[in-house]
Amino acid sequence: MALDDLYRELILDHYSHPRNRGEIPEPDIKVEGANPLCGDELSIYVKLTGTTISDVRFVGRGCSISQASASMMTEQIKGKTLEEARALSGRFKAMMHGEAVPEDELGDLMALQGVRKFPVRVKCATLSWVAVEQGMEEFEAGKGKVAAKATTERE
Ligand code: FES
């Protein structure tokens, strides 16, 4: 199977069977993300144990790219510290903006690199990441429970 087909299947699989979908009661971080270009929105819930992300879930509506990326995001950051998750988010966004990033640092997220050919869709792929980054930043700034909002304009 060609790599492009494999990546397409991976995106479709995350879209049709999203991982970690749902809400978390009493999250440490709740953030609502929106893409003003299309009106799509999602909410992300993060539970922390110390500074480690012990659980992360999302709900929302949007195109296949945004939903698949959110699903992959939850899988990738669960178990990471806030600092590690922010570093990964930076690498993912760099990759989506055309920078070369080692493949082994991104895993399944490499499947989204094809989206770079369609600049308007890059914000679909980064929606959940800019949102969770905003929530993590606000949490770290205030060191308390956070209800944040973010849009892809933050990118
Ligand atoms: Fe709205 Fe992709 S078209 S997030």
Side-chain angles (χ1 to χ4, degrees):
M1 188 187 282
L3 195 57
D4 275 358
D5 293 335
L6 193 69
Y7 283 166
R8 206 169 299 121
E9 280 203 2
L10 201 53
I11 292 170
L12 276 176
D13 181 52
H14 275 271
Y15 177 56
S16 347
H17 308 286
R19 323 300 199 260
N20 302 304
R21 199 169 172 83
E23 300 181 10
I24 296 175
E26 299 186 35
D28 294 297
I29 299 170
K30 178 187 175 194
V31 57
E32 290 167 14
N35 182 350
L37 292 178
C38 59
D40 289 339
E41 295 172 331
L42 45 78
S43 297
I44 299 166
Y45 304 80
V46 176
K47 194 81 188 163
L48 295 166
T49 303
T51 57
T52 298
I53 297 169
S54 45
D55 200 6
V56 49
R57 297 182 176 272
F58 79 102
V59 294
R61 59 184 174 79
C63 64
S64 54
I65 300 296
S66 67
Q67 300 294 297
S69 183
S71 170
M72 289 178 189
M73 181 275 291
T74 61
E75 277 200 324
Q76 294 278 337
I77 70 169
K78 203 177 203 170
K80 287 195 164 48
T81 63
L82 292 172
E83 195 183 335
E84 290 167 343
R86 273 194 289 110
L88 178 63
S89 184
R91 287 195 291 275
F92 175 67
K93 289 193 303 182
M95 186 266 282
M96 292 308 298
H97 289 289
E99 289 176 36
V101 175
E103 208 165 306
D104 58 349
E105 290 185 6
L106 291 175
D108 284 2
L109 295 170
M110 290 302 291
L112 291 161
Q113 67 180 321
V115 175
R116 294 186 303 200
K117 283 184 273 181
F118 312 97
V120 81
R121 306 302 304 278
V122 167
K123 284 183 188 297
C124 305
T126 56
L127 172 59
S128 58
W129 293 87
V130 298
V132 80
E133 253 189 24
Q134 177 84 30
M136 292 191 292
E137 273 177 29
E138 289 191 26
F139 179 86
E140 290 192 304
K143 300 283 180 206
K145 287 189 192 258
V146 160
K149 283 186 194 295
T151 73
T152 47
E153 279 159 1
R154 165 193 153 91
E155 227 181 70

